Amino acid sequence: MPGLASETIGIWVAAGSRDESAETAGSTHFLEHMLFKGTGSRDAKTIAAAFDRTGGDSNAITAKELTCYYSRCLVTDLPNITGLLVDMVSNSQLDVEEFERERGVIIEELAMSADDPGDVLFDDFDSLVFGSHSLARPVGATKDQIRVLGHHTVIDHYQSTYIPPRLVIAAAGGATHEEVLAMVDDALAEAGLGSRADVWSGAGNGVHGAGPVGTGDSNGGAASVAKGSHLAGAARVRPDFQAGVSHTVKDIEQLGILLGCEGLPEGDDDRFIYSVMLTMLGGGMSSRLFQSVREERGLAYAVNCVASQFTDTGTFGIYAGCTAENAQAVVDLAVSEWDRLAQETPSQFELDEIVSQLSGSMVLGLESSAARMNRLARSEIFGLPLESPMDLIERVRSVTAEDVSEMAGRLLSRPKALALVGPAAEVELP
C-alpha cells in the first residue's frame, strides 16, 4: 500500500475453539492471554512496553476457527514488532504462576460477557443450533470450565496447534514485500528458529522443534505450504443444524431476538449473491427490515441481518432488539419481509442501489491496512482466491435480481431457530 507510513502485521493460527474437546475447552482463548506473559528473552512488562511504545494498536483475537496476534505500527517500528510477535508465538514460557493469575482475569472477562445481553444472545443461538458440536460452545468456554482447566492442557494445546502448516504471517501497509520478508527472516533467526529457508525446509529448529513454518505474504502464498492446506491437520466434523427456540430470561428492558437458519460456509460459490441478499434484507438504513420494522412501524430501534461463516457451515440470522410486547410482531414481520423477498423478484433499481452500496463498502474497507492484512490471511488459510477490488465489484455486479430471490427462498425453506434474551415473553416461530 504505497504512501502509508504504517503497517499491520499479524501471526495467524488456523486453530480456534472449534478444535477443542469438552475437556480442553477454553484452551485456545487462555493461550491467547498467556502469550503476552513472557518468553525466554522478554517478560510480560517488556512485551507490553514494546507494544505501547509504538503508539499503534496491538492485540489478539480468538475465534471459533482462528487465532491472531497482530499489531499496527509505523513502518519504522515494524522490525521490532515482527521480532516481538514471532518470539511470543514460538517461545512463550507459559509460566504456571502467570497461568494461575490469568485464570482469574479470564473468569472476570467471562463474567463481563455474561452481563452483555448481546453476547449472551449470540452464544445462546450457537448453542441452540449446533447442539453437542464444538461450534456450540462459547469461544472462551464457561467460568466452570476455566476454573478446572489444567496448565498442562494448555501447554499440550500450544504444542499441538502452534505448528506448521497452521501458522501464517500476513502483513499490509507501507513496507515493501521484500522488506517484510527480510524482517521475518531476522525475526525467525532471533527467535532461534533459523532462517526462513531453513525453517521451511525443516533444517531449522522449527516452532517447538516441529518442522517447517508457513509464512503467508503479500504475493498470496507460502514457499512450501500449499495455499489452503493450513487447516489440513484439523479433524473437523460438519455439524447438523438444530431447529428450535431458546429463551434466557434476564431482568432487562429489551428483549434480544435472533431468528435464523443454516447459512453458507466460508468461500461458498454463491457468497456474492448471499452478500447482496443480506444487504437488501437487513444491511443498512434503507434495507427492507429497517424500513419496515423501524421506520414504518416503530417496533424496534435496531434490526439487521447477521451471518457467520465457517469452513463447512454457517448461520444466517435476523437480529432485533425490542420490548417484550413487540417481540412477536417483530418476528412475524421479519419472516414476512424475508418471504416477500423470496416470492417477489426485486426491481433492477433496488438491486443497483445495493450493488452500489456493497461496491463502495468493499473499496473503502480495503483502504485499511488491517482489513488488507485480514483478507490476505483468510485467503491463505481458507484457500480462497485473492481477487482485486475491481474483480470483487464485478462479482457483485454479476448478481441478478432472480439470484437474490432464489437465495432468500433457499434459506427460508430451511429449518429455523429462534434465540431470545431478556424479559419473559410469549414468542413463537411463525
Side-chain angles (χ1 to χ4, degrees):
M1 303 176 71
L4 282 190
S6 65
E7 185 91 7
T8 302
I9 185 167
I11 300 184
W12 293 72
V13 188
S17 60
R18 176 180 185 170
D19 303 299
E20 301 165 347
S21 66
E23 292 73 28
T24 64
S27 296
T28 307
H29 180 241
F30 210 129
L31 187 56
E32 176 215 306
H33 280 241
M34 288 301 299
L35 261 62
F36 288 87
K37 296 303 177 182
T39 70
S41 58
R42 297 173 171 93
D43 61 20
K45 187 173 182 179
T46 300
I47 291 174
F51 281 129
D52 287 347
R53 192 179 300 120
T54 69
D57 177 28
S58 303
N59 212 328
I61 54 171
T62 306
K64 296 204 173 186
E65 293 189 327
L66 299 168
T67 309
C68 176
Y69 303 84
Y70 68 91
S71 181
R72 178 173 177 264
C73 62
L74 296 176
V75 171
T76 52
D77 289 322
L78 188 59
N80 290 335
I81 290 300
T82 304
L84 175 58
L85 288 172
V86 169
D87 189 33
M88 286 170 54
V89 169
S90 61
N91 293 322
S92 179
Q93 295 296 288
L94 303 183
D95 178 76
V96 66
E97 292 184 5
E98 290 282 7
F99 179 86
E100 293 302 331
R101 276 193 292 269
E102 203 62 23
R103 190 194 301 273
V105 173
I106 292 173
I107 288 173
E108 291 296 330
E109 181 183 0
L110 297 178
M112 181 175 66
S113 181
D115 285 339
D116 185 326
D119 287 352
V120 175
L121 179 64
F122 282 86
D123 282 345
D124 281 1
F125 185 80
D126 284 351
S127 178
L128 172 64
V129 303
F130 292 129
S132 60
H133 194 274
S134 57
L135 281 173
R137 294 193 297 267
V139 169
T142 66
K143 289 184 286 185
D144 288 342
Q145 287 171 318
I146 295 301
R147 288 190 181 101
V148 300
L149 185 63
H151 179 240
H152 66 281
T153 301
V154 175
I155 291 177
D156 289 345
H157 179 75
Y158 180 52
Q159 294 177 339
S160 63
T161 57
Y162 280 57
I163 57 173
R166 289 182 185 256
L167 302 176
V168 170
I169 299 175
T176 68
H177 176 61
E178 291 72 21
E179 287 170 340
V180 172
L181 291 183
M183 292 175 201
V184 170
D185 265 332
D186 292 343
L188 292 172
E190 180 188 351
L193 303 176
S195 70
R196 183 159 44 95
D198 289 338
V199 175
W200 280 340
S201 68
N205 292 328
V207 181
H208 320 310
V213 57
T215 307
D217 58 45
S218 59
N219 289 341
S224 66
V225 180
K227 190 172 185 178
S229 70
H230 305 283
L231 292 165
R236 291 177 174 171
V237 177
R238 187 180 186 277
D240 294 322
F241 188 93
Q242 310 291 319
V245 178
S246 73
H247 190 166
T248 296
V249 177
K250 277 184 169 288
D251 185 17
I252 53 179
E253 291 292 323
Q254 275 201 325
L255 184 68
I257 299 169
L258 187 53
L259 166 71
C261 65
E262 184 175 4
L264 301 188
E266 186 82 42
D268 190 275
D269 290 341
D270 290 334
R271 61 189 181 277
F272 293 94
I273 301 172
Y274 193 47
S275 294
V276 172
M277 192 222 73
L278 284 164
T279 307
M280 187 176 291
L281 184 60
M285 292 187 295
S286 62
S287 69
R288 294 186 175 199
L289 285 172
F290 191 94
Q291 289 295 312
S292 180
V293 174
R294 172 174 162 161
E295 297 297 281
E296 295 174 11
R297 295 171 178 80
L299 293 174
Y301 174 74
V303 57
N304 57 275
C305 288
V306 295
S308 61
Q309 292 172 277
F310 307 106
T311 51
D312 51 7
T313 189
T315 60
F316 163 77
I318 296 172
Y319 165 81
C322 61
T323 62
E325 292 76 15
N326 289 338
Q328 189 66 60
V330 169
V331 170
D332 291 344
L333 189 54
V335 174
S336 176
E337 287 295 338
W338 188 356
D339 181 64
R340 184 166 72 90
L341 184 57
Q343 299 297 328
E344 302 174 13
T345 304
S347 69
Q348 188 62 44
F349 174 80
E350 184 180 14
L351 179 64
D352 290 344
E353 291 289 293
I354 297 303
V355 167
S356 177
Q357 178 183 342
L358 279 173
S359 299
S361 65
M362 283 180 179
V363 174
L364 292 173
L366 290 176
E367 291 186 355
S368 159
S369 62
R372 288 279 187 100
M373 184 276 291
N374 188 302
R375 181 167 171 259
L376 279 170
R378 296 182 71 88
S379 172
E380 179 70 26
I381 290 170
F382 292 111
L384 302 177
L386 191 61
E387 298 174 278
S388 71
M390 287 309 302
D391 287 338
L392 293 174
I393 290 172
E394 286 305 314
R395 293 288 296 274
V396 173
R397 287 176 176 168
S398 70
V399 174
T400 68
E402 290 77 15
D403 290 335
V404 176
S405 285
E406 189 278 332
M407 176 63 71
R410 191 195 319 176
L411 296 175
L412 186 63
S413 68
R414 295 176 174 178
K416 298 173 189 64
L418 175 66
L420 307 164
V421 173
E426 294 295 327
V427 186
E428 298 179 351
L429 280 168

